[in-house]
Amino acid sequence: MKLALALLLLSATAAQAQTQDGRVWILANDKTLPEVALVYGAPNSDDLVMALRCPRGTGQVTASFLVEARLADRQENNVWVDKIGRPAPWPTSVTLASGLASATLRGQASADDLNGGSLLSAEVATRAPVIAAFKKTGVVTLTGLGETKSAPPVPLRQVRPFLSACK
């Protein structure tokens, strides 16, 4: 996921109930755009916790989140490489959980230039049991590189149109 897209979504105006830390779930479902997204973070800031997005009608959801673990070591010819010289993105496992359902997915990590950690992402089919659980509960937890990110449940009035646009 492009961090710029997430920041743009966070700056969108939305009538959402903010948590104590000022973070909200924002649904970006402009039918003129090819992608729909749910982003959790603080509006009008670079405070991004996680994002779920999908190209319309593909049946695939990409879950992305930031972690403090840094895989990037240095840049070579404007490309981030890890300590052994492999270029980004680097393979990693990401676990997506909702309630009792979970899926451990093949994911990837890239450098998070803004915060100094890594941006992890993984793709899951909308027909997966973990997405069925998410549709019922709005609960999502993401784990990778030893870090877990969670958020308050997504309001179901946002989950349903998001998943409908994805299918």
Side-chain angles (χ1 to χ4, degrees):
M1 178 186 79
K2 300 281 187 220
L3 192 55
L5 170 64
L7 296 175
L8 174 67
L9 294 173
L10 286 175
S11 66
T13 57
Q16 306 295 333
Q18 289 191 350
T19 59
Q20 283 185 323
D21 58 11
R23 295 177 177 146
V24 296
W25 279 105
I26 298 170
L27 172 63
N29 192 12
D30 182 339
K31 291 177 180 29
T32 64
L33 297 177
E35 186 172 83
V36 61
L38 272 170
V39 179
Y40 183 68
N44 302 312
S45 79
D46 58 7
D47 178 13
L48 170 69
V49 177
M50 66 177 67
L52 303 173
R53 61 184 175 80
C54 68
R56 292 179 184 282
T58 62
Q60 295 295 118
V61 173
T62 299
S64 303
F65 62 110
L66 298 169
V67 296
E68 291 181 17
R70 182 173 178 86
L71 297 182
D73 183 59
R74 64 191 180 280
Q75 281 191 322
E76 292 180 359
N77 299 320
N78 292 325
V79 175
W80 281 104
V81 296
D82 64 9
K83 289 180 182 178
I84 60 173
R86 294 178 302 169
W90 304 283
T92 190
S93 294
V94 171
T95 299
L96 172 65
S98 184
L100 297 176
S102 68
T104 298
L105 310 162
R106 186 179 314 168
Q108 62 182 20
S110 57
D112 173 15
D113 293 329
L114 189 61
N115 300 300
S118 300
L119 174 65
L120 306 185
S121 63
E123 195 171 278
V124 63
T126 55
R127 67 183 182 281
V130 69
I131 297 298
F134 172 65
K135 185 176 182 178
K136 291 178 184 175
T137 66
V139 173
V140 62
T141 302
L142 299 167
T143 303
L145 295 178
E147 296 179 43
T148 298
K149 299 293 179 168
S150 59
V154 181
L156 295 181
R157 69 181 182 280
Q158 291 178 319
V159 172
R160 292 183 184 110
F162 171 76
L163 290 175
S164 292
C166 292
K167 291 182 181 179

